[in-house]
Amino acid sequence: MDLVQLLTPEGERVDHPDYPLRAGPRELRGLYRDMLLTRRFDAEAVTLQRQGELGLWASLLGQEAAQIGSGRATRPDDYVFPCYREHGVAWTRGVDPLNLLGMYRGVNHGGWDPDENNFHLYTIVIGPPLLHAVGYAMGLTREGAGSAVLSYFGDGASSQGDVAEAFTFAAVNQAPVVFFCQNNQWAISTPASHQTRTPIFRRAEGWGFPGVRVDGNDVLACLAVTRSALERARAGQGPTLIEAFTYRMGPHATSDEPRRYRADAEVAQWEAKDPLLRLKTHLLAQGHADSAFFAELAEEAEQLARRVRDGVRAMPDPDPDQLFRHVYVDEHAQVREEQQTYQAYQAMFAGEGGRG
Ligand SMILES: Cc1ncc(C[n+]2csc(CCOP(=O)(O)OP(=O)(O)O)c2C)c(N)n1
Ligand SMILES: [Mg+2]
């Protein structure tokens, strides 16, 4: 299988002729810290959902390397279009995790200003972010900006028409965009084998741009491959499709029960390829990190978990009227009518101790 790998599941560093990577102990520790804090934050979000503090949560468990590696390959002036599971990428862009939780708590319409960190809003509908990304990338070219766009999608989304259209527009316009597919093997309960008969990365050939498959549980390979693709894009050489071969170790979302459709043995097989474990093994074997480093990091992770836990619980319920604002720039008759109906409904509970 053509799979770019720089760090084996056993934690051994290997070279790849096309993707040389020089990463010193400090950078390696930094990547591990990113992955561990992201994992801890993600676990806290699952717990908060179970406690009724969030409406839903889509965990990234197992995909930390794909997200931290690719996210850390971006420059501040690059622009990222995520789906709904890109919590690790958000972390690398400097988005406060509390903002992500606010969206899944349902107290805001998106949660952050996309231009603050060049990290677009989460998009639940699968497919459209790629079109948005290509349009944005074409705009960058017109402005002569010299930055690139990184766009995320899943194996399931790869079957959407939007994705094919995005590939066409990116190819013929030589747009500075990198399509990053996290092939985590599942689209809810549908296996990737129901989406495609050919490896996803090979589809790029039909559109006339390069496609590469990378070990999605190898943070170094994801970093090197994405960095190279973004450099190509910034240099005016057009799009690249990256397929990060990984695995969704948890359920699709907190509302899903994966034991109904997949075997425990499959999960166990991927647990052995854990992205954090292999980097930890490498750091220890090389003497790049000691037990004090891991102990301090564990404490930092607990502090982060405490901060998001307290922060989420303190989030005020929004004014229900907010739901109708920002739908259109100008007042819209239908929205106004719906707002009035809802206000009348709310009024029925007046004096009942503050419903809504
Ligand atoms: C256009 C559209 N159809 C259906 C859905 C419902 N849906 C939500 S997530 C999902 C599966 C997506 O799988 P994949 O693209 O592999 O991403 P993953 O969740 O595995 O990260 C589906 C079908 C949706 N959000 N958008
Ligand atoms: Mg998937």
Side-chain angles (χ1 to χ4, degrees), residues 180-305:
F180 194 93
C181 178
Q182 290 172 88
N183 180 356
N184 63 8
Q185 321 281 331
W186 292 94
I188 315 183
S189 54
T190 305
S193 59
H194 288 202
Q195 311 287 353
T196 184
R197 291 182 70 98
T198 184
I200 290 170
F201 78 99
R202 282 181 46 195
R203 290 193 189 168
E205 197 187 334
W207 268 273
F209 54 84
V212 49
R213 184 182 255 184
V214 59
D215 181 343
N217 286 18
D218 173 352
V219 69
L220 302 184
C222 289
L223 175 67
V225 168
T226 313
R227 195 178 267 166
S228 157
L230 287 169
E231 276 165 12
R232 256 191 105 251
R234 292 189 205 103
Q237 292 171 333
T240 302
L241 169 61
I242 299 172
E243 176 188 358
F245 202 71
T246 182
Y247 193 75
R248 194 197 75 209
M249 274 158 60
H252 168 72
T254 44
S255 53
D256 175 43
E257 172 47 279
R259 278 174 295 187
R260 292 190 61 173
Y261 57 81
R262 71 182 184 189
D264 290 346
E266 181 183 287
V267 183
Q269 191 195 332
W270 280 90
E271 275 168 0
K273 299 180 189 175
D274 189 298
L276 273 75
L277 195 59
R278 69 176 73 180
L279 186 53
K280 184 175 186 178
T281 307
H282 180 70
L283 285 169
L284 285 169
Q286 297 298 309
H288 290 337
D290 56 14
S291 55
F293 167 77
F294 293 108
E296 269 170 44
L297 192 53
E299 179 47 37
E300 190 184 359
E302 288 318 303
Q303 278 172 19
L304 174 64

Side-chain angles (χ1 to χ4, degrees), residues 84-85 124-126 154-157 160 184 186-188 248 252:
Y84 44 76
R85 203 190 289 285
I124 305 289
V125 185
I126 58 174
D155 45 290
Q160 291 291 120
N184 63 8
W186 292 94
I188 315 183
R248 194 197 75 209
H252 168 72

